Amino acid sequence: MTIGSCDDQLFARVLALLGGDTVAAKVVCSASDVGTLGADGAVTRWAVGQLRTTQGSLEQVQHGLNVSFVLSSAYQVFVMQLGFALFAAGVVRPKNIVSIFIKNFFDTCIAGIAFYLVGYAFIFGSKDGKGNGFIGNWDFALSYTDGGPGRSAPLPWHLFIWNWSFCSAATTILSGSIAERGTFVSYTIYAAVMPAWVYPVVAHWLWSPQGWLSVRNKEDRILGIGAIDYAGSGVVHLVGGTAALVGSILVGPRAGRFEGGGMSGHLHRATAAPQLYLIGTLLLWFGWYGFNPGSRLAIADDNSAMVVGRTAVTTTLSACAGALTGLLFSYSRYKVWDLLSTCMGALAGLVSVTSGCSVIEPWAAIICGVVGAFACEAGDGILERLKIDDPVSAFPLHGFGGAWGLIYTGLMAKDVYIQQVYGVALGGHRMGIFYGGHAQLLLCQVIALIVVVGWTLVNMVLLFWGLKVARMLRVTAEKEAAGLDFAACGQFNAQGACHVHSSKVNGAKGAEVLLSALSIERRGNGYLGFDTSLRSSSANPSARGAMAVRITGNSSPSATTPTAAASAAASVLIAAAAGDGGIVGDAGCGGGAAAAAAADGPDAPWAEQSRSPNGVA
């Protein structure tokens, strides 16, 4: 009996070689040259073909796994946008919460369009792998990502989403630093310039295979090693923090922040919402597990899996060390357990370790987080002395933390880990100083720090100075007093606020004064809910005493107009048992609503408040 090209004897031989697999034996015997090759040759050829097919399938599975890993990490980084928004909303005054939320929302959308049109191409665009060290110049609007005739070396789709999530994070950092007084127009212009020009150039320098600072530039690494910024202490955080510093300086401090004007400086965080900034911090921490480990861009091989796992460990330890440092340092100064200091310490640890997270040892990550927390505290103190108002400490956190992260990598990067991550040959003293390096890597890190700060400073000064000259940078004093939620967003509905319908309040001066008087809202702790943060060095922890409200002004029931009510509300005096004497501030719901009731009566048609059983709104 003949089966294919095999007679009975040849088929039996093939079947024996295949371990009795009849189906495979029939496939082997179906080839026309089996008799020429013999049983052994035919089976060998078939086995090689099967191996190639299996290898191709395995490569497809690995590619799919890597793409899934990158995309899921990008989605995780995107969640950080919510973390940024909640953290800032928890620190600024409640009358500006909605404006913070909308800025964090639309800057992400603007960054998506700008990054699609030019930003992504400026980072990685290089036709046939040929580019220059300064900026990319190919694949604008993803025009070549599809590949096709004449379109060699297409860029993968998923890397656009990955890099957009990082670009969006860098753009958002500034939003809190100019909170409560920056215009929406100026922020919109900034949110287009940052992802389209400023950020992409820095990212090209440090992350592109053609970048002049990049350790991935195998042909022309600076000083033979290049600067290491694995996940963006410099590219993301130092860029964003530097932009925040320029914005804070040129937009100027909030009214009364330093020179008085009715409110002591530390009360600008008196209405901080712990529930918001705590959730924001934890969401940011969660997002960092995409930010740092995901920067490997692969996980389907043993080496990548090891790098990803180690990076997750160092990220965790630095955050923990930073949080504990912030908590204990605050307690040593003020003898209270301050939540905001703890959150800031954790974030400082995360920012600091982002540069070297894949190339430092776990014990070194702990040191990184500790020093990062102190660096953030020092930055806060410097801004306070220089009277620079940064409501969310964006520059101390991202600027100081990012700079420290770059420097620390030059000190503690381990040569074996550098070889694993970047494929750099061992030897040549291409490691941190404490591992025997001869300062090549540290010098690269310092050069990266200087040029990143310089590039961002020049561009941001030009941008914000131009906006300031054009009178587009800062809102009017009346709008700032009313709060941007009402003045710019048409809403005044932060949790715990006295809700005032815009249809029942005219656009008169008196209405703006009224909203100013209602700007500090109650929180759930204490009589008026003051949660005085210790983030400001001028804070006095002993000022957590009872607060009394004294109402003066016209209490006649006939005073039913918004202007008359505003006059009464504006006269509210919040006297605190503080070390620096009485503190005059914006009236909260307790005071403002009481003043309104004194002027108009409890059933005034223009004001609504939610009352608790004890009579405090």
Side-chain angles (χ1 to χ4, degrees):
M1 182 179 65
T2 301
I3 300 176
S5 301
C6 297
D7 55 22
D8 290 344
Q9 184 178 3
L10 184 58
F11 181 78
R13 176 61 179 165
V14 170
L15 186 64
L17 289 173
L18 293 174
D21 189 340
T22 304
V23 175
K26 290 180 178 180
V27 172
V28 171
C29 287
S30 65
S32 59
D33 57 351
V34 175
T36 304
L37 293 175
D40 295 75
V43 170
T44 299
R45 183 179 63 181
W46 174 85
V48 171
Q50 289 296 105
L51 180 61
R52 289 174 178 172
T53 301
T54 302
Q55 183 179 7
S57 299
L58 178 60
E59 289 175 352
Q60 291 181 6
V61 171
Q62 288 179 322
H63 176 70
L65 181 58
N66 288 333
V67 171
S68 298
F69 172 66
V70 172
L71 286 177
S72 62
S73 297
Y75 306 151
Q76 200 169 346
V77 173
F78 179 70
V79 173
M80 295 176 73
Q81 293 297 121
L82 179 57
F84 280 120
L86 289 174
F87 183 86
V91 174
V92 302
R93 287 174 287 185
K95 62 181 177 179
N96 296 289
I97 287 179
V98 177
S99 69
I100 283 290
F101 284 160
I102 194 171
K103 285 179 180 179
N104 278 264
F105 197 137
F106 79 67
D107 69 11
T108 300
C109 303
I110 294 173
I113 302 299
F115 197 64
Y116 160 74
L117 291 174
V118 296
Y120 188 52
F122 282 158
I123 299 178
F124 295 110
S126 59
K127 188 175 182 180
D128 298 326
K130 298 177 182 178
N132 62 76
F134 178 75
I135 194 170
N137 54 12
W138 189 67
D139 199 30
F140 294 97
L142 301 180
S143 54
Y144 289 89
T145 298
D146 269 335
R151 298 181 176 186
S152 59
L155 296 173
W157 289 104
H158 65 283
L159 290 184
F160 170 80
I161 297 298
W162 168 254
N163 285 280
W164 162 74
S165 67
F166 273 62
C167 176
S168 182
T171 302
T172 301
I173 289 172
L174 174 130
S175 63
S177 65
I178 62 172
E180 306 195 36
R181 73 270 197 215
T183 67
F184 276 76
V185 172
S186 65
Y187 190 74
T188 301
I189 295 173
Y190 157 80
V193 172
M194 174 63 83
W197 174 247
V198 180
Y199 171 86
V201 172
V202 175
H204 180 82
W205 292 349
L206 284 159
W207 286 347
S208 169
Q210 288 79 39
W212 69 278
L213 280 171
S214 177
V215 68
R216 295 180 174 89
N217 188 343
K218 297 180 180 180
E219 296 181 358
D220 189 22
R221 293 188 179 107
I222 184 173
L223 299 183
I225 178 61
I228 294 177
D229 188 14
Y230 184 72
S233 284
V235 174
V236 176
H237 298 286
L238 186 57
V239 168
T242 304
L245 175 64
V246 175
S248 298
I249 293 174
L250 290 181
V251 78
R254 291 166 289 177
R257 174 65 176 88
F258 296 108
E259 67 276 4
M263 178 175 288
S264 295
H266 68 279
L267 280 184
H268 278 80
R269 276 181 177 161
T271 52
Q275 68 273 28
L276 291 181
Y277 64 69
L278 174 61
I279 295 173
T281 300
L282 293 176
L283 283 174
L284 288 169
W285 190 336
F286 171 74
W288 241 285
Y289 287 124
F291 210 92
N292 287 2
S295 291
R296 177 63 183 176
L297 303 181
I299 199 172
D301 60 277
D302 288 343
N303 187 62
S304 294
M306 178 174 57
V307 171
V308 169
R310 181 173 67 241
T311 302
V313 170
T314 57
T315 299
T316 301
L317 293 177
S318 185
C320 293
L324 293 175
T325 301
L327 176 66
L328 296 176
F329 183 68
S330 174
Y331 184 81
S332 69
R333 297 176 68 188
Y334 306 114
K335 304 306 178 186
V336 294
W337 304 102
D338 186 48
L339 176 61
L340 185 55
S341 296
T342 308
C343 291
M344 293 291 290
L347 295 176
L350 289 165
V351 170
S352 301
V353 80
T354 297
S355 172
C357 52
S358 64
V359 295
I360 63 173
E361 296 190 75
W363 62 266
I366 295 176
I367 299 175
C368 182
V370 170
V371 179
F374 280 118
C376 183
E377 286 283 351
D380 258 333
I382 292 173
L383 292 190
E384 186 78 14
R385 286 192 292 272
L386 296 177
K387 295 186 177 181
I388 299 172
D389 188 13
D390 186 348
V392 298
S393 299
F395 176 66
L397 177 59
H398 299 279
F400 273 55
W404 164 241
L406 285 175
I407 297 300
Y408 192 67
T409 303
L411 300 176
M412 300 302 296
K414 189 174 181 179
D415 54 349
V416 175
Y417 293 168
I418 294 176
Q419 190 273 331
Q420 291 173 353
V421 175
Y422 296 106
V424 177
L426 294 175
H429 304 288
R430 298 167 176 172
M431 71 287 287
I433 285 181
F434 286 93
Y435 285 90
H438 287 181
Q440 294 101 315
L441 178 58
L442 179 60
L443 181 56
C444 288
Q445 301 301 107
V446 172
I447 293 172
L449 190 160
I450 294 172
V451 298
V452 167
V453 171
W455 170 258
T456 309
L457 273 177
V458 169
N459 283 277
M460 289 296 103
V461 167
L462 291 175
L463 174 63
F464 284 110
W465 184 261
L467 291 170
K468 185 173 183 178
V469 170
R471 300 181 182 276
M472 298 169 60
L473 184 58
R474 183 165 180 147
V475 301
T476 63
E478 291 79 13
K479 289 183 178 181
E480 183 180 351
L484 296 187
D485 287 3
F486 182 82
C489 303
Q491 300 183 51
F492 193 69
N493 56 0
Q495 182 179 5
C498 295
H499 299 286
V500 181
H501 289 296
S502 58
S503 61
K504 298 180 181 178
V505 179
N506 297 325
K509 183 81 171 180
E512 294 174 339
V513 176
L514 169 65
L515 289 209
S516 177
L518 298 179
S519 63
I520 294 185
E521 293 137 323
R522 62 176 287 274
R523 293 295 173 190
N525 58 316
Y527 181 69
L528 289 179
F530 280 93
D531 179 20
T532 305
S533 169
L534 301 180
R535 296 299 302 167
S536 169
S537 61
S538 62
N540 184 354
S542 66
R544 295 176 181 251
M547 295 192 177
V549 178
R550 178 168 61 85
I551 310 295
T552 62
N554 184 5
S555 60
S556 171
S558 63
T560 58
T561 66
T563 302
S567 299
S571 66
V572 173
L573 174 65
I574 299 179
D580 57 352
I583 303 172
V584 180
D586 296 344
C589 274
D600 282 359
D603 299 319
W606 57 270
E608 296 181 3
Q609 61 173 315
S610 57
R611 291 181 174 83
S612 62
N614 63 5
V616 179

